[in-house]
Amino acid sequence: MESVGKKRSRPRRAFTPDFKAETVELCQRGDRTVGQVARDFDLTETAVRAWVKQAELDAGTRSDGLTSDERAELARLRAENRRLREDVDILKRATAFFALMPG
């Protein structure tokens, strides 16, 4: 049974970097608030605020998070770390297997 007044979640949408940059620029001009820009483009205020924050981090005007380049590097290093852990696990199993074989 569906509860009365419950908001339906909207499908996840993807936006181009150009669209995000233009939206951020509108917010940074100062003639409209983030909330107004979000409403004008049917976006969530949370998403627009996140785009503004990321743009400020990338521009160096903010330092309380990772830049886009740092985020990409972190993702790459995590993937590499996961792959290396899997390699080590395989080598440990192979070592144990060959240690049990009669010589």
Side-chain angles (χ1 to χ4, degrees):
M1 191 166 163
E2 217 174 296
S3 63
V4 177
K6 187 175 181 182
K7 270 180 116 174
R8 288 183 183 234
S9 63
R10 87 165 91 181
R12 189 166 186 89
R13 299 180 293 171
F15 301 98
T16 65
D18 287 340
F19 178 79
K20 290 179 184 181
E22 289 173 19
T23 305
V24 167
E25 187 181 326
L26 286 172
C27 294
Q28 291 176 334
R29 276 192 208 150
D31 46 332
R32 288 192 276 181
T33 66
V34 171
Q36 289 170 326
V37 172
R39 280 189 298 280
D40 290 348
F41 292 99
D42 190 30
L43 303 167
T44 64
E45 196 169 327
T46 304
V48 176
R49 285 190 190 285
W51 297 347
V52 169
K53 179 180 178 183
Q54 191 61 55
E56 290 171 350
L57 287 166
D58 291 345
T61 58
R62 200 177 172 139
S63 61
D64 61 337
L66 300 176
T67 65
S68 294
D69 289 342
E70 290 168 334
R71 284 179 183 273
E73 181 182 18
L74 181 59
R76 183 187 60 76
L77 290 171
R78 283 180 174 164
E80 181 181 350
N81 195 13
R82 185 172 43 256
R83 202 170 40 255
L84 291 171
R85 286 180 191 272
E86 290 169 359
D87 290 350
V88 167
D89 189 45
I90 290 169
L91 290 172
K92 281 181 182 177
R93 283 193 240 147
T95 301
F97 174 77
F98 287 113
L100 294 175
M101 290 186 72

